[in-house]
Amino acid sequence: MCEKQESGDFRGQPRLPHFAAPRRYDLFLNPDLSSCEFSGSVAITVDVISPTRFLVLNSADLSIDATSVSLGGKTISPCKTELVEDDEILVLEFDSQLPLGESVLRIDFTGTLNDQMRGFYRSKYEYKGDVENMAVTQFESVHARRCFPCWDEPGFKAQFKITLEVPSQLVALSNMPVSEEKINGDGVLKTISFEESPLMSTYLVAIVIGHFDYIQGITSDGIQVRVYTQVGMSEQGRFSLDVALKSLNLYKDYFAVPYPLPKLDMIAIPDFVAGAMENYGLVTYRESALLYDEKLSSASNKQNVAITVAHELAHQWFGNLVTMEWWTHLWLNEGFASWVSYLAVDAIFPEWKIWTQFLDETASGMKLDALSESHPIEVEIKHASEADAIFDSISYDKGASVIRMLQSYLGADCFQKALASYIKKYAYGNATTDDLWAVLEEESGEPVRDLMSSWTKQQGYPVIFINMDSNKLHLYQEQFLSDGSSGSGTWIVPLTICCSSYDISKKFILKSKSDELDVDDLILHKEGNQETFWMKLNTDQTGFYRVKYDDELALGLKYAIQADKLSLMDKIGIIDDASALSVACKVTLSSLLSLLDAYSTQSHYTVLSRVISVSLKIANLVDEATPDLSGDIKLFLIKLLKSPAEKLGWDVKEGESHLDTMLRAEILMALVRLGNKSTVDEGIRCFAIFLNDRNSSVLLPDTRKAAYVAVMQHCTVSDKSGYESLLKIYRETDQSEEKVRVIGSLASCPDKGIVLDALNFLLTDEVRNQDAVYGLNVAIQGRETAWEWLKFASYEKSEEIEKFFASRMKPTFERALKQSLERIKINAHWIKGVRNDESLAEVVSHLVHKA
Ligand code: BES
Ligand code: ZN
């Protein structure tokens, strides 16, 4: 390859060439937190593997000052240094061939601590009354190159030795423990060196510099764990520290490998692009995803903190120790960490029944994957800039769900053993999806690769139609699409069936479009028990597919729900399938409503939570689809939720369960959104008390948002008092969770003038960029205004908005835009279907008026 190489060869390529690879980075950075500039130098030990005159690595947003390569005592400089902006690469051309083997490439550079929450950036916080900058890194997916020139692909693992020069009064953290710290001459600056890391990918390198407090603990095998927060807030890290210690203890057993580094730090960052980032040994979090305060935080926030911590710590093995070979296998990282986080949280908080909540993840994966503009789990990434676009519900939720499906198929023990040998085999290295299947196949003796490829290499999932005649089940699979059309995919589907009891069950693999199954053995006892007979496919919803039953089987399930014979997961699955099938016009709205009615005696959080989300979806639809019936339909939905809501009330009961607290928040919010007058009035009453006395026990964090939204329902341009009171609460709190609660309520006002005010508020300095998206939660009545506002804002603020789209949205934008357009079409199709539902009026009237 050597002689013909030219610098132009490296442009427009999906990946860096492999003729040279980094082994070790000696990185020095000197950030100035007031001017927000930084300078740095990196000495990279490069192994030249095949003859070349070029070194090609990544670099972006940096100015390169000097470059040289030294080998033994000899130093040479490149004859040409070219920064290719579009490809974010630095091409170094030398006069003659580089010697094979190791040389040291040295590069000096400068850059800016940006305000875009990626690369090496600044975050603002208050310290002793002044606003200060902290310096933070966020490198995933392809942003290490914005901090120092490097081979910025997950497959190029190397060791990192990091040294920083920072103001001597600040805390400076990185992946590894400090090895040496010395105050420089005049005492203003200090030089901090960190120990050399094991082999790791660039996207996991991290640095944080600022004023912080911490609390600490130690795991059973002696790993020091610290939680760092803004000064004065460290006690709010107590809960996450506890979850971290327990998760680490659990994972070292589960993966059968000890935690790979000497320490773990977790730190809350005031401006943060995601929820959290799993940097090796230094995990960064948005404040609301790490901090928990018994008095100030809601139960759902507590749960979110636990899940997030468990997720990021799972990555320390799955992702950091064993890393995806390329972004196509991102789902290995994210799907697995998501799935494992539920395993850990279930072990730590069994009373949360977190696996029933896992079905929310499955539901969002299925929702996205029912679009023709979805994508396969394993998706081709042709350019690094496409990587950011696949951090979506397919990689996370569908990924996690198909893992659950596989675990349930192979059995928990077999699955765990195989995972442990996979981790051991690829530790400190990289792996592909196929590598994982190979290990699982070997350990289980099952055809894992064929089975799983049908789920990871093609987009979408099936709906299984089942019909029973005499003692035969007729099964037929078809790709499920929300617009009611049917795609062409076929899957290998591990089916499970239960019949009238969870003890009477069967497993079956559906491999073709259709099949028949003898269920004699299952339904022997049907005779004489006609009334109590039910058959449920997809036991506990472990499979990533939907089921459409024939009328008789559907009726049987409805009775089983009324008689409360089914597991929580099955009850959730039945209503979720029915609601999705209704959107696709495969089930009428009238039968969906009758099915909902069968849930009227349910009281468990996760079941009602799903009933609530289906109800709100229907309520949104009927205003437009059938305005004549929408009042009655909402009456029915209110009736459905009213009795559990009344049992719960607005106040926390002494010693009540975590799940009841979660349910109260959701059910009151739903009743407010459905316009239930007594709930809205009570919310407004409680709010007035809370506004006068922020320490009052009247409106605790869980119910606060329902009250905020209630207040906004009555707010108008001529009486803005509610809006202004909420802003007052926003301005007086320093808690991120509370600020987000207010932002998420403001635009829920039916008055367009207020919606406009609320949207404009999002653009002020008072709202951090990370939080602004929560404010786009506009009331239906305000949508036109929001659109006008966006157009107006794009005119006035064209530069900011262009920057926003250009830097953050471009790669994700095209697919996301197509997905949004598809959703609009799906809604229109659903509306049409509902208008054609001839029995709707009669069914609604029956449901509303029956005792
Ligand atoms: N690796 C991601 C963080 C990330 C997301 C980096 C997008 C770059 C782009 C991290 O492990 C993660 O998945 N975070 C989640 C939280 C988790 C509980 C699902 C997040 O930020 O939402
Ligand atoms: Zn993750």
Side-chain angles (χ1 to χ4, degrees):
M1 61 148 90
C2 53
E3 280 134 73
K4 296 241 166 71
Q5 273 179 351
E6 281 177 40
S7 69
D9 296 353
F10 311 114
R11 291 168 180 255
Q13 300 298 316
R15 293 168 76 156
L16 294 173
H18 274 252
F19 45 72
R23 301 292 176 228
R24 178 179 186 273
Y25 291 82
D26 203 332
L27 174 64
F28 171 79
L29 288 169
N30 178 356
D32 181 332
L33 298 189
S34 339
S35 72
C36 291
E37 303 290 321
F38 65 91
S39 61
S41 68
V42 63
I44 313 174
T45 306
V46 182
D47 190 2
V48 179
I49 299 156
S50 51
T52 181
R53 287 194 300 118
F54 293 92
L55 288 176
V56 185
L57 62 160
N58 294 111
S59 178
D61 305 341
L62 296 173
S63 333
I64 305 296
D65 299 330
T67 323
S68 65
V69 168
S70 48
L71 172 79
K74 216 175 97 194
T75 299
I76 47 170
S77 293
C79 59
K80 200 171 143 202
T81 301
E82 193 187 2
L83 260 168
V84 186
E85 271 183 37
D86 283 350
D87 295 311
E88 303 186 338
I89 54 171
L90 178 64
V91 180
L92 308 177
E93 182 174 349
F94 296 86
D95 281 329
S96 54
Q97 272 188 8
L98 294 165
L100 294 183
E102 290 189 352
S103 310
V104 175
L105 167 64
R106 198 189 147 91
I107 305 177
D108 297 336
F109 54 92
T110 56
T112 305
L113 291 174
N114 68 72
D115 60 357
Q116 294 179 28
M117 300 184 280
R118 60 176 202 184
F120 201 13
Y121 73 95
R122 59 179 188 263
S123 171
K124 290 203 181 312
Y125 66 118
E126 234 179 73
Y127 177 70
K128 295 193 173 157
D130 290 328
V131 175
E132 297 212 7
N133 293 317
M134 60 174 80
V136 187
T137 54
Q138 168 59 43
F139 288 171
E140 195 176 21
S141 51
V142 290
H143 309 306
R145 63 189 66 176
R146 288 169 222 289
C147 178
F148 60 99
C150 55
W151 273 257
D152 196 13
E153 291 180 6
F156 285 114
K157 285 197 172 184
Q159 291 182 278
F160 288 84
K161 173 98 186 75
I162 294 175
T163 306
L164 303 173
E165 190 173 76
V166 298
S168 47
Q169 75 282 10
L170 296 186
V171 175
L173 302 171
S174 184
N175 309 84
M176 298 295 289
V178 173
S179 57
E180 197 187 276
E181 184 166 335
K182 56 173 198 273
I183 306 285
N184 299 354
D186 56 3
V188 178
L189 296 176
K190 63 181 173 184
T191 303
I192 296 197
S193 312
F194 299 91
E195 287 173 24
E196 184 160 333
S197 79
L199 285 173
M200 62 185 278
S201 304
T202 48
Y203 79 91
L204 293 167
V205 172
I207 292 160
V208 179
I209 303 159
H211 291 282
F212 299 104
D213 277 351
Y214 69 83
I215 52 170
Q216 69 176 19
I218 199 150
T219 65
S220 60
D221 49 354
I223 306 292
Q224 171 198 288
V225 180
R226 287 184 176 174
V227 177
Y228 284 86
T229 66
Q230 285 193 47
V231 171
M233 291 188 176
S234 61
E235 267 313 308
Q236 293 186 37
R238 187 65 61 188
F239 176 69
S240 44
L241 177 61
D242 184 53
V243 173
L245 292 168
K246 288 178 174 151
S247 308
L248 289 175
N249 286 338
L250 207 128
Y251 290 146
K252 75 166 191 325
D253 293 339
Y254 192 80
F255 294 119
V257 174
Y259 174 76
L261 301 182
K263 61 96 179 171
L264 170 69
D265 294 325
M266 310 202 293
I267 185 162
I269 308 292
D271 299 277
F272 199 73
V273 73
M277 175 65 212
E278 71 267 26
N279 313 300
Y280 221 176
L282 174 54
V283 182
T284 43
Y285 295 81
R286 176 180 287 240
E287 288 187 338
S288 59
L290 185 69
L291 306 182
Y292 172 76
D293 183 316
E294 194 76 48
K295 288 218 173 60
L296 302 174
S297 307
S298 65
S300 84
N301 195 68
K302 182 179 195 179
Q303 211 179 267
N304 186 40
V305 167
I307 288 278
T308 310
V309 169
H311 175 108
E312 305 310 334
L313 299 195
H315 276 313
Q316 305 302 309
W317 285 261
F318 228 103
N320 300 7
L321 182 61
V322 178
T323 311
M324 68 221 153
E325 184 268 337
W326 178 243
W327 298 107
T328 295
H329 308 286
L330 173 73
W331 85 280
L332 278 185
N333 265 10
E334 298 304 347
F336 254 91
S338 297
W339 176 78
V340 173
S341 69
Y342 280 78
L343 202 78
V345 169
D346 187 46
I348 305 173
F349 304 100
E351 70 282 10
W352 291 1
K353 299 226 180 327
I354 201 78
W355 281 113
T356 65
Q357 300 187 50
F358 180 85
L359 295 185
D360 291 346
E361 315 261 323
T362 308
S364 24
M366 286 194 154
K367 197 167 157 208
L368 180 55
D369 210 22
L371 302 182
S372 37
E373 292 293 341
S374 179
H375 64 83
I377 285 183
E378 291 183 69
V379 55
E380 192 186 351
I381 299 294
K382 294 199 215 82
H383 191 274
S385 65
E386 294 171 17
D388 269 344
I390 55 166
F391 286 82
D392 64 3
S393 204
I394 298 299
S395 304
Y396 281 77
D397 302 323
K398 185 182 182 183
S401 303
V402 299
I403 290 159
R404 177 166 178 253
M405 176 163 75
L406 179 63
Q407 188 220 21
S408 136
Y409 177 73
L410 295 178
D413 284 348
C414 166
F415 191 69
Q416 174 183 357
K417 287 202 184 83
L419 274 190
S421 42
Y422 165 81
I423 295 284
K424 193 167 163 204
K425 179 163 179 190
Y426 292 101
Y428 303 102
N430 294 86
T432 64
T433 304
D434 265 351
D435 292 332
L436 175 64
W437 299 156
V439 175
L440 280 158
E441 192 152 313
E442 196 178 311
E443 300 272 330
S444 69
E446 295 278 344
V448 174
R449 181 194 308 257
D450 281 353
L451 171 73
M452 292 310 286
S453 296
S454 93
W455 298 93
T456 60
K457 289 191 193 293
Q458 64 180 339
Q459 75 181 58
Y461 59 89
V463 48
I464 318 283
F465 292 85
I466 69 166
N467 289 288
M468 193 161 76
D469 71 50
S470 55
N471 290 347
K472 269 200 165 45
L473 268 193
H474 301 275
L475 304 159
Y476 174 74
Q477 62 164 305
E478 189 176 278
Q479 180 175 0
F480 179 77
L481 288 165
S482 287
D483 66 3
S485 65
S486 52
S488 57
T490 312
W491 286 261
I492 302 181
V493 191
L495 288 179
T496 44
I497 305 173
C498 274
C499 212
S500 298
S501 149
Y502 283 94
D503 298 331
I504 305 172
S505 64
K506 207 178 177 95
K507 287 184 172 185
F508 178 71
I509 298 221
L510 178 64
K511 292 202 178 85
S512 48
K513 202 87 197 147
S514 61
D515 210 336
E516 273 183 5
L517 184 63
D518 224 321
V519 282
D520 250 340
D521 47 336
L522 288 183
I523 56 172
L524 268 180
H525 61 296
K526 184 180 174 186
E527 322 328 310
N529 284 322
Q530 213 69 26
E531 299 287 87
T532 56
F533 175 82
W534 55 265
M535 176 179 282
K536 168 78 181 45
L537 265 80
N538 199 4
T539 312
D540 281 339
Q541 300 297 119
T542 52
F544 197 76
Y545 55 88
R546 299 199 184 280
V547 182
K548 166 84 174 76
Y549 299 90
D550 68 22
D551 290 349
E552 199 184 328
L553 291 172
L555 207 59
L557 282 174
K558 201 173 140 192
Y559 290 137
I561 291 163
Q562 273 159 341
D564 219 8
K565 300 286 184 202
L566 302 179
S567 72
L568 296 172
M569 305 231 209
D570 283 336
K571 285 187 278 196
I572 295 167
I574 289 168
I575 192 69
D576 194 56
D577 279 1
S579 134
L581 287 161
S582 157
V583 174
C585 301
K586 305 271 185 210
V587 160
T588 61
L589 183 59
S590 36
S591 25
L592 179 60
L593 290 172
S594 319
L595 180 63
L596 269 178
D597 189 49
Y599 286 76
S600 62
T601 52
Q602 296 298 317
S603 58
H604 193 276
Y605 165 66
T606 29
V607 176
L608 280 178
S609 170
R610 193 56 56 97
V611 167
I612 288 169
S613 59
V614 171
S615 299
L616 291 176
K617 197 156 106 179
I618 295 173
N620 271 338
L621 169 90
V622 291
D623 277 338
E624 204 178 336
T626 55
D628 294 354
L629 294 177
S630 102
D632 271 359
I633 291 178
K634 285 186 193 166
L635 263 180
F636 160 67
L637 298 173
I638 289 170
K639 201 174 87 175
L640 194 64
L641 301 179
K642 201 64 199 204
S643 95
E646 273 163 3
K647 258 186 227 140
L648 290 161
W650 280 77
D651 299 323
V652 177
K653 313 259 180 317
E654 177 95 16
E656 76 176 10
S657 73
H658 167 84
L659 294 178
D660 276 350
T661 314
M662 300 261 292
L663 178 58
R664 173 179 303 110
E666 284 182 28
I667 212 162
L668 292 176
M669 176 65 98
L671 286 168
V672 169
R673 290 205 188 277
L674 289 168
N676 177 234
K677 186 168 180 312
S678 56
T679 314
V680 172
D681 290 349
E682 182 62 9
I684 292 174
R685 193 187 69 84
C686 294
F687 181 76
I689 301 173
F690 171 70
L691 190 64
N692 269 329
D693 172 14
R694 242 43 83 65
N695 293 318
S696 146
S697 65
V698 166
L699 210 54
L700 293 178
D702 299 280
T703 43
R704 223 169 270 163
K705 187 153 176 202
Y708 293 174
V709 173
V711 167
M712 290 311 296
Q713 297 317 297
H714 285 191
C715 203
T716 61
V717 202
S718 42
D719 178 8
K720 283 191 176 182
S721 57
Y723 177 73
E724 266 144 20
S725 308
L726 277 171
L727 281 188
K728 186 165 149 57
I729 291 174
Y730 182 89
R731 291 179 175 135
E732 286 174 7
T733 182
D734 59 0
Q735 193 207 10
S736 173
E737 180 188 340
E738 182 68 43
K739 284 192 189 288
V740 167
R741 206 158 23 236
V742 175
I743 287 182
S745 311
L746 289 177
S748 68
C749 182
D751 186 304
K752 291 178 189 164
I754 300 282
V755 171
L756 193 61
D757 282 355
L759 293 173
N760 282 329
F761 178 65
L762 298 180
L763 290 186
T764 64
D765 287 347
E766 289 187 71
V767 180
R768 292 183 190 267
N769 275 344
Q770 64 164 10
D771 295 334
V773 286
Y774 299 109
L776 295 176
N777 193 359
V778 232
I780 302 237
Q781 295 90 331
R783 291 226 173 121
E784 279 297 312
T785 315
W787 176 235
E788 288 304 319
W789 171 81
L790 184 69
K791 285 196 288 189
F792 166 78
S794 354
Y795 173 72
E796 286 272 288
K797 303 231 161 199
S798 59
E799 213 175 305
E800 276 103 317
I801 293 205
E802 212 178 294
K803 216 164 89 188
F804 177 80
F805 281 109
S807 61
R808 308 213 27 241
M809 299 286 274
K810 207 162 63 191
T812 51
F813 201 58
E814 196 174 321
R815 192 183 284 135
L817 185 67
K818 286 185 179 155
Q819 288 168 350
S820 305
L821 292 175
E822 195 179 345
R823 284 197 190 97
I824 295 173
K825 282 194 202 131
I826 288 165
N827 221 37
H829 178 251
W830 190 20
I831 289 175
K832 223 160 107 193
V834 168
R835 287 185 182 152
N836 286 335
D837 181 351
E838 280 164 6
S839 39
L840 188 59
E842 195 186 320
V843 169
V844 170
S845 145
H846 168 74
L847 290 173
V848 173
H849 296 113
K850 79 176 184 146

